[in-house]
Amino acid sequence: MTANSPHNPTTAVGSADSSEFESALETARRQLTHAASQLDIDSNIVERLKYPAKIHEVTVPIERDDGAVDVFIGYRAQHDSVRGPYKGGLRYHPDVTHDECVGLAMWMTWKCAVMDLPFGGAKGGVVVNPKKLSAGEKERLTRRFTEEIRSVIGPNRDVPAPDMGTDAQTMAWIMDAYSMQEDETTPGVVTGKPPAVGGSEGREEAPGRSVAIVTRLVCEYYDRQLEKTTVAIQGYGSVGANAARLLDEWGATVVAISDVNGAMYDPAGIDTAAVPSHDEEPEAVTKYANNVIPNDELLTLDVDVLIPAALGNVITKENAEAIAADFVVEGANGPTTSTADSILAERDITVIPDILANAGGVTVSYFEWLQDINRRAWSLERVNDELEVEMQAAWDAVRSEFERRDITWRDAAYIVALSRIAEAHEARGLWP
Ligand code: NAD
């Protein structure tokens, strides 16, 4: 095995030395050059991909409830659209920056390509603490932000989705603001909407479902029976709880789950349906637990599969030597630092990267976009069946590179993504 590409998108967390962490943009560029170094592709294409196509910076004035006007900064970074319209989340967070949007947009380019979706990567957001906005202020901010970026988004241009601090309601406001100004109802301008206005069944569960599917596939590949597999999952939110419940349903033994306050641990197996997810009752895991252990201890439990599904940078050089699982399936974005990634590779611990494992979210977003364009809703069963097909296809493509080149699964995923993007650039050429 070779050392993995680096992988840490978010601000440093935990107790590890901050020099271990890098920005989303540094990470995305390193991933690009690392994958490119293992491929025979035109260096001019790699040079082009180091930069976003466009970055839109806007100011968003809103009237607060007390009548004062506040102005917020908003961004939409559009990285590469060679394979289709830009696609990526919009976050409302005080730490949103220009460079973070660019890095995360690049990341979305790789994620869409590894899933072979006809989209390129984008990311955006507003520098604001959404917890300090009333519902009315959040709606006015969203509508005005939509107007400021209206000319650069659209079903065939750039399709935003929810991210940190935004949700289905936010997407419904964007869809409404865009539709009112364009004078036609345009559900395909955003994904992650409520089903009543063109949202897809199964969208919310999709990232967790893809994590569970990939866990099942990795067990099959390494001749492990799911019925004899133990799993520990950090985080019991949209990703963690959905993955936990599916794996439990499919026969695996989920021995640990956690929330921000600690982890529930039961070596005999947890009844995952009986514990409320973050969405159903925030931070309830520890409340329902008989046996609570710290989150750090969950990460080093001697289980078959470890699924970090809470936040970034939790597997670091401080704890990588202590990870006892055979497989790490990345549910969160960027849970493993690049230093930790190299340590895990040296220790022969298999890491399935986030751009494959949690890509069910953007894949069902693609299904939502298809449904909106065709004005035809799919059943939940169809969504889940098609997600299974897409995950299997992506897995097969990544597995093939993994076997052919004797590299890590992360490198294999980036190579699949970059090969597809480079091929499209070569076919289209550089204009003029
Ligand atoms: P969520 O808010 O639904 O749940 C987060 C869970 O993590 C909660 O159970 C919370 O208690 C727990 N948590 C928070 N801080 C923690 C800490 N310090 N230690 C341990 N647990 C902690 O979030 P989510 O949507 O499930 O997202 C989780 C991760 O997955 C994030 O990295 C996110 O970027 C990524 N992700 C989410 C989606 C999506 O569509 N929801 C898609 C792809 C990737």
Side-chain angles (χ1 to χ4, degrees):
M1 281 191 175
T2 59
N4 286 5
S5 57
H7 210 73
N8 43 309
T10 51
T11 320
V13 291
S15 58
D17 174 0
S18 63
S19 63
E20 191 184 350
F21 304 103
E22 62 190 354
S23 73
L25 183 53
E26 287 167 333
T27 304
R29 286 206 174 125
R30 265 224 279 162
Q31 282 158 349
L32 168 65
T33 43
H34 185 70
S37 71
Q38 301 180 57
L39 280 173
D40 183 20
I41 56 170
D42 187 344
S43 60
N44 290 326
I45 291 174
V46 179
E47 191 58 24
R48 179 71 192 95
L49 288 170
K50 284 183 192 163
Y51 302 89
K54 293 168 198 153
I55 309 158
H56 309 278
E57 180 174 337
V58 297
T59 49
V60 190
I62 63 156
E63 190 177 326
R64 306 301 292 245
D65 292 342
D66 65 3
V69 171
D70 276 335
V71 182
F72 297 93
I73 306 291
Y75 299 102
R76 186 67 179 168
Q78 299 171 326
H79 174 240
D80 181 79
S81 65
V82 72
R83 290 166 46 85
Y86 300 106
K87 185 92 195 74
L90 279 180
R91 54 175 61 170
Y92 290 175
H93 195 276
D95 296 339
V96 167
T97 64
H98 171 285
D99 279 9
E100 183 193 57
C101 290
V102 174
L104 296 174
M106 291 172 77
W107 209 316
M108 282 305 296
T109 304
W110 322 140
K111 199 182 266 197
C112 291
V114 80
M115 292 307 300
D116 211 6
L117 306 178
F119 289 133
K123 202 77 166 193
V126 178
V127 189
V128 63
N129 184 348
K131 290 182 187 144
K132 294 197 172 154
L133 297 174
S134 68
E137 288 169 343
K138 193 170 174 186
E139 178 173 355
R140 293 197 288 282
L141 179 84
T142 302
R143 290 182 180 279
R144 182 61 188 253
F145 181 50
T146 307
E147 179 54 20
E148 297 302 332
I149 60 169
R150 181 163 59 94
S151 62
V152 300
I153 61 171
N156 294 315
R157 283 195 177 152
D158 183 350
V159 186
D163 201 278
M164 283 159 63
T166 58
D167 55 16
Q169 178 60 68
T170 321
M171 296 304 114
W173 289 327
I174 296 177
M175 179 270 203
D176 185 64
Y178 183 89
S179 299
M180 296 308 289
Q181 294 289 20
E182 296 289 317
D183 217 8
E184 56 183 34
T185 296
T186 315
V189 64
V190 279
T191 58
K193 302 176 294 296
V197 288
S200 180
E201 296 294 336
R203 168 66 184 81
E204 183 57 32
E205 305 83 52
R209 178 169 281 271
S210 70
V211 167
I213 292 171
V214 166
T215 304
R216 197 192 68 218
L217 290 169
V218 82
C219 286
E220 277 166 25
Y221 185 78
Y222 288 98
D223 284 331
R224 303 284 186 103
Q225 279 178 282
L226 213 46
E227 293 74 18
K228 292 185 182 159
T229 299
T230 53
V231 186
I233 303 180
Q234 184 183 50
Y236 208 59
S238 172
V239 179
N242 283 302
R245 287 173 181 171
L246 270 174
L247 288 167
D248 188 11
E249 196 183 310
W250 293 343
T253 306
V254 178
V255 298
I257 55 177
S258 75
D259 62 24
V260 67
N261 299 316
M264 172 189 284
Y265 177 52
D266 184 349
I270 293 165
D271 177 3
T272 55
V275 185
S277 70
H278 185 68
D279 201 30
E280 291 156 358
E281 189 184 334
E283 323 301 4
V285 174
T286 31
K287 207 168 103 185
Y288 283 72
N290 291 326
N291 182 20
V292 176
I293 60 169
N295 258 301
D296 288 353
E297 212 176 306
L298 176 147
L299 294 171
T300 56
L301 284 175
D302 187 6
V303 288
D304 297 307
V305 182
L306 172 65
I307 303 179
L311 64 174
N313 294 331
V314 293
I315 304 180
T316 66
K317 67 180 180 189
E318 308 295 329
N319 63 6
E321 289 289 356
I323 301 293
D326 296 331
F327 306 100
V328 175
V329 178
E330 295 186 331
N333 284 324
T336 315
T337 68
S338 61
T339 317
D341 217 8
S342 304
I343 297 170
L344 296 182
E346 274 160 29
R347 295 186 56 220
D348 243 350
I349 294 175
T350 299
V351 180
I352 306 297
D354 48 8
I355 61 164
L356 174 65
N358 70 29
V362 70
T363 305
V364 175
S365 273
Y366 166 57
F367 297 163
E368 180 173 332
W369 181 75
L370 289 176
Q371 293 170 68
D372 292 340
I373 285 171
N374 291 303
R375 297 289 202 267
R376 183 100 170 98
W378 298 2
S379 66
L380 177 60
E381 191 186 14
R382 176 165 177 202
V383 169
N384 288 343
D385 286 352
E386 299 238 7
L387 178 60
E388 181 77 38
V389 170
E390 298 295 334
M391 293 312 301
Q392 179 76 55
W395 170 265
D396 288 345
V398 174
R399 190 202 57 210
S400 156
E401 290 296 339
F402 170 78
E403 288 172 350
R404 194 156 72 90
R405 296 173 188 268
D406 191 22
I407 49 177
T408 63
W409 288 90
R410 192 187 309 284
D411 281 351
Y414 278 96
I415 283 172
V416 167
L418 187 56
S419 307
R420 288 175 174 160
I421 296 160
E423 197 184 338
H425 271 288
E426 245 160 56
R428 284 180 61 164
L430 186 65
W431 187 86

